[in-house]
Amino acid sequence: MSHSPVSSVASTSLPSHRPPAHASLNQITTLDKNGQEITTVGFNRFGFDSEVPLDVLRSLYLRSHYVLTTNNLDDGNNLDSGAAEIQHAKFLQGHAAYQSKSIFHPDTQSISYTTLSRFPPVKLLPPSQRKRILVTGGAGFVGSHLVDRLMLLGHEVTVLDNFFTGSKTTVSHWVGHPNFEMVRHDVVEPFMIECDQIYHLACPASPPHYQFNAVKTIKTSFMGTLNMLGLAKRTKARFLISSTSEVYGDPEVHPQTEDYWGHVNPIGPRACYDEGKRVAETLTYGFQRQDGVDVRVARIFNTYGPRMNPYDGRVVSNFIVQALKGEDMTVYGDGMQTRSFQYVHDLIDGLIALMNSEETRPVNIGNGDEYTIGEFAELVREIVEKVQDQDGDVRTRRVNIVYKEMPTDDPQKRRPDTTRAKESLEWQPRWTVRMGLEEMVRYYKAKMAEGSI
């Protein structure tokens, strides 16, 4: 994969800045699977340039919305102090000018919010290249990272979200920007807008959330997709649906190719999500065949990264938060079930590549590096300890790994065959699980330092 050096991108529209003194001491470098340093994410392919400097992107999620406490403030002007600031600075390398300066008062558990004084710089695209893009579920974990990327690239982005699992804080740093609009809306109801591309991500995706109201989940999958496909048909927009590896159920084929039909329990506790996504795919191809809608289907495998809800029951966030808090890490079953984990930046690269390519068949987007859950727990523990040691944190004890009973219909094996993505999109994951985990551990650690976890 060829990547132009960060300076060439930065010089056009997204300036990089000299890091502050305390960041450069412990500046963190990120290496990909080939040992090359990752300085940019994205690429220029299929006539769509999606490359942005990694440090600019990080400044949007590794710097919190309220990082500053009044503990060390002599007056209201010295707003760059405190443990949280130092945690974030290790990754940020000097993009503080584009951040809010809200103040957290730990003694009264209160917060003084402020609006951004300045937005991060975005590319200035000519009208012919600037797209109007609708992102449903754009305030969610994956959606917010996609929005950050599309905004930095200079496109006009509208986020549609009902905030059932999403949060305004994930995209609040764009509110007020002339290219950005956020609408509180439930996709179960029709929505009218003019747009060129629709990324349809709206649906709760973790078992505690989608099982909370199973009927609503399947209604969102079906009615939401029906409404957005209707919109794509009327506006002649290209439509991408985020489907899931759950369409394969508990697979009997390993690894799973896109041609595998799946092995799903249609009446189990996970069926509202699994079958909801399967019928959403059916609907998508119905619109393609019947009405000529330009569609893309991304089957997303396990993804992790900053902005994951730490309490949504997903294995990565569970393990990291438990380990950071010094609590025992919980593994369900015997720990021999396998998962493959991809980092969120790789997923966003894949989604943008698929949207702008000519590939209309379903495409698996995931990382083929497979771990047993037991191995993964040990890896998370090791990385948390490494980060704590680097930062001089003292542990009272080593956390243990404890085993509990397996939930119903939990798949035993899950690993994508990404041959199609490699051939059609020239896409493959760049981030190692280890590098992604380290960044995510630092994200949660900084969140704890500021008191928001």
Side-chain angles (χ1 to χ4, degrees):
M1 240 191 198
S2 65
H3 288 269
S4 53
V6 65
S7 55
S8 66
V9 182
S11 60
T12 55
S13 57
L14 298 176
S16 276
H17 298 279
R18 184 175 298 154
H22 61 283
S24 58
L25 295 176
N26 279 319
Q27 189 173 319
I28 287 157
T29 53
T30 302
L31 305 180
D32 67 12
K33 294 187 171 191
N34 302 319
Q36 302 294 311
E37 186 179 352
I38 299 177
T39 55
T40 64
V41 289
F43 38 74
N44 192 345
R45 198 174 298 144
F46 310 121
F48 189 95
D49 183 1
S50 69
E51 192 165 32
V52 299
L54 181 58
D55 58 346
V56 175
L57 201 56
R58 275 176 170 158
S59 72
L60 302 179
Y61 60 83
L62 280 178
R63 169 75 177 246
S64 63
H65 294 275
Y66 54 103
V67 297
L68 306 159
T69 69
T70 52
N71 290 352
N72 310 329
L73 298 185
D74 303 322
D75 54 51
N77 300 319
N78 174 24
L79 294 182
D80 276 330
S81 55
E85 186 66 26
I86 292 161
Q87 293 291 345
H88 286 290
K90 289 185 178 167
F91 270 119
L92 285 200
Q93 302 171 22
H95 291 275
Y98 310 117
Q99 302 301 327
S100 70
K101 299 286 188 183
S102 304
I103 306 173
F104 176 57
H105 301 265
D107 49 341
T108 56
Q109 282 295 299
S110 59
I111 180 163
S112 164
Y113 284 109
T114 179
T115 55
L116 276 176
S117 53
R118 179 173 294 282
F119 291 102
V122 302
K123 278 190 181 177
L124 197 57
L125 292 177
S128 59
Q129 289 178 27
R130 192 167 62 236
K131 295 189 183 298
R132 297 165 301 177
I133 302 174
L134 175 66
V135 182
T136 72
F141 159 49
V142 172
S144 63
H145 284 281
L146 177 63
V147 167
D148 281 349
R149 187 82 67 89
L150 295 173
M151 282 295 297
L152 290 172
L153 293 168
H155 299 285
E156 293 177 15
V157 179
T158 301
V159 166
L160 213 61
D161 209 294
N162 69 346
F163 304 118
F164 171 57
T165 57
S167 164
K168 274 189 190 174
T169 57
T170 60
V171 286
S172 59
H173 49 277
W174 294 115
V175 170
H177 194 286
N179 290 356
F180 180 79
E181 189 174 1
M182 180 154 67
V183 183
R184 182 190 287 266
H185 183 85
D186 193 322
V187 288
V188 167
E189 307 297 333
F191 184 74
M192 305 296 168
I193 194 174
E194 294 303 313
C195 55
D196 304 310
Q197 293 183 343
I198 300 170
Y199 287 89
H200 179 44
L201 313 180
C203 193
S206 68
H209 289 144
Y210 66 64
Q211 290 169 6
F212 174 76
N213 185 339
V215 173
K216 171 75 176 177
T217 297
I218 200 157
K219 194 175 173 185
T220 301
S221 283
F222 183 77
M223 293 299 298
T225 305
L226 183 68
N227 287 330
M228 290 304 115
L229 280 162
L231 177 62
K233 177 184 168 185
R234 282 191 298 278
T235 59
K236 296 183 169 54
R238 184 173 286 185
F239 175 89
L240 180 146
I241 182 169
S242 62
S243 187
T244 169
S245 58
E246 298 288 345
V247 298
Y248 302 124
D250 191 355
E252 295 169 310
V253 170
H254 200 66
Q256 296 83 52
T257 66
E258 290 87 351
D259 297 325
Y260 177 53
W261 289 359
H263 180 233
V264 177
N265 176 359
I267 56 172
R270 302 169 75 104
C272 60
Y273 183 66
D274 301 9
E275 295 291 24
K277 287 293 192 184
R278 285 164 71 97
V279 77
E281 285 194 19
T282 307
L283 202 54
T284 300
Y285 284 110
F287 268 77
Q288 182 200 44
R289 293 185 191 110
Q290 201 168 311
D291 300 304
V293 175
D294 195 10
V295 302
R296 306 287 183 268
V297 174
R299 289 181 180 160
I300 299 171
F301 283 68
N302 280 22
T303 304
Y304 68 100
R307 297 201 188 122
M308 270 182 103
N309 181 334
Y311 303 112
D312 70 358
R314 284 191 176 101
V315 64
V316 186
S317 46
N318 270 8
F319 283 169
I320 293 175
V321 172
Q322 284 175 331
L324 280 173
K325 287 186 169 177
E327 298 168 359
D328 289 339
M329 299 163 74
T330 312
V331 173
Y332 293 97
D334 59 6
M336 295 311 292
Q337 68 272 37
T338 68
R339 292 289 182 279
S340 56
F341 299 96
Q342 75 175 329
Y343 197 52
V344 68
H345 293 326
D346 281 331
L347 170 60
I348 302 305
D349 283 352
L351 291 178
I352 292 175
L354 177 59
M355 173 64 95
N356 295 288
S357 74
E358 296 306 313
E359 179 58 80
T360 58
R361 299 171 298 173
V363 177
N364 288 339
I365 301 183
N367 192 332
D369 296 344
E370 193 174 17
Y371 289 84
T372 70
I373 298 295
E375 284 172 347
F376 191 70
E378 287 174 14
L379 181 61
V380 169
R381 179 170 65 180
E382 178 196 324
I383 288 170
V384 167
E385 288 174 352
K386 174 189 165 188
V387 168
Q388 288 172 333
D389 291 343
Q390 281 175 350
D391 295 352
D393 297 347
V394 180
R395 285 184 300 279
T396 50
R397 67 180 186 99
R398 188 167 206 220
V399 297
N400 296 315
I401 297 170
V402 296
Y403 293 83
K404 293 191 176 174
E405 200 175 328
M406 173 81 82
T408 313
D409 290 346
D410 197 43
Q412 282 298 310
K413 278 178 179 275
R414 195 56 78 56
R415 180 161 71 94
D417 182 318
T418 55
T419 307
R420 182 174 292 175
K422 208 171 289 182
E423 290 172 355
S424 299
L425 311 181
E426 301 169 49
W427 173 90
Q428 49 192 332
R430 298 171 64 207
W431 290 71
T432 65
V433 170
R434 200 173 269 279
M435 289 307 322
L437 276 177
E438 191 169 330
E439 186 168 303
M440 196 169 167
V441 166
R442 291 197 172 277
Y443 168 81
Y444 279 146
K445 196 164 182 287
K447 284 287 179 195
M448 286 176 178
E450 80 192 19
S452 59
I453 293 181

